[in-house]
Amino acid sequence: MARFTFKLPDIGEGISEAEIVAWHVAIGDRVEEDSPIADMMTDKATVEMESPVTGVVVELAGEVGDQVSIGAALVVIETDAVEVADEVVAAPLTSAQAETAEQYEAENPGVEEVATETPSPLRGEGRGEGQPHAETPATAPAPHPSPLPAGEREQKAQPVPAADAEQKAQALASPAVRARARDLGIDLASVKTDSDRVRHADLDAYLRYGSGEGYHPPYASRAREDQPIKVIGMRRRIAENMAASKRAIPHFTYVDEIDVTALEAMRADLNANRGGRPKLTMLPLMIVAICKAIPDFPMLNARYDDEAGVVTRHGAIHLGMAAQTDAGLTVPVIRDAQDRNVWQLATEITRLAEAARAGKLAPNEMGGGTITVTSLGPLGGIATTPVINRPEVAIIGPNKIVERPVFKGDEVVRAKLMNLSISCDHRVVDGWDAASFVQGLKKYLETPVLLFAD
């Protein structure tokens, strides 16, 4: 039978290998041309691999989480049109074999003989993905049950001592005591008492000292079983990126409080008159403020190549937007954020968030950011210390908006306040620069009319 080896194609510029994050087929499955066979993940995107031929899968490159090099075999498909394997015909039995079989069947009525194949030691034909690699021995006749040793026969035949039987018969107790013992999993016959019946006090004494006799109260522990989870796919990428960022970048975080009462009032007015445009959240307004403040602080809109020792200050603002998905945290990028108005930003934020949750982000939508914003939305928090998205040098984290009384002159008024966090790479950004940048953001957010001034 002809076999087709599907080699992993070049699925991205500069990519040398990809990780298997999902198999859509197993060994022995029949696949049609253009049907999905696997999801492969690179540093930039997850790509669905499709079968170029029709046939039966006979070999897979590895398990989920394994790395496959570009050009290496991913799947081997048997392309013969025959869908069912040739039937295995057993050779006729010799007279001696037939006689032995008849004797075995007479001695072991109801026992069926099962034929088993010896699987290939390779991860190939005749074996599913999760089956063991060890060879399966041929089925042997089931042995006759051996008689119990004399000691065990005597033990099984030994009657219950009369004293024990009498104790079980004399385990008297009221219905309330019996119900309590049943709930606690206590055998009343094992509870000692000084009277003619078991009382609550006897149960209490048994609970205090009964552990020495092997008693364990039911539901004593509500701990669940440990669950080992293999770190693969998106979660492994997140783990590697976060570890590299914290290992290589000397972080510092600055937090300041911002009064967003006027900004929230303006946002409510804009939403009330938005027509068919998307509903505004705090995020697009925050991005407009960042784009207006960045020109005075170009060291924040930068990427640091620490191997080359070069900091590139970017003229355009390609703003990363941290988004939570079922697979983990991903950071789609809003290109040229400085050229978009608040409604355009809201539309692009919605589109990228939906694509991220569906796993449909294009490779050019997931890299090349120059600064990042991370927000937990209404979940928020008092303050955060976000981790920088390397090789960027700054990440901004707005926190939860809370309503609190504040002094306005001699009066106490109700105000909506929000803490704003920024983490910076101290090799590139000084504390003074970070604090000054946040003060610039504060000016725009506390006087929101400036967001729409040229």
Side-chain angles (χ1 to χ4, degrees), residues 58 62 74 134 162 194 201 232 258 260 277 300-301 346 350 371 440:
V58 295
L74 181 63
D194 295 332
I232 62 172
I258 299 176
V260 294
R277 292 175 291 195
L300 290 167
N301 189 50
T350 301
I371 191 170

Side-chain angles (χ1 to χ4, degrees), residues 91 110 125 135 148 157 186 229 239 287 291 363 366 380-381 412 421 442:
E125 297 176 309
E135 295 188 357
L148 290 172
I186 297 175
I229 299 175
I287 294 173
C291 292
M366 296 179 63
V412 177
S421 303
K442 186 172 183 177

Side-chain angles (χ1 to χ4, degrees), residues 298-310:
M299 75 290 295
L300 290 167
N301 189 50
R303 292 164 68 93
Y304 180 34
D305 184 346
D306 46 9
E307 292 184 1
V310 175

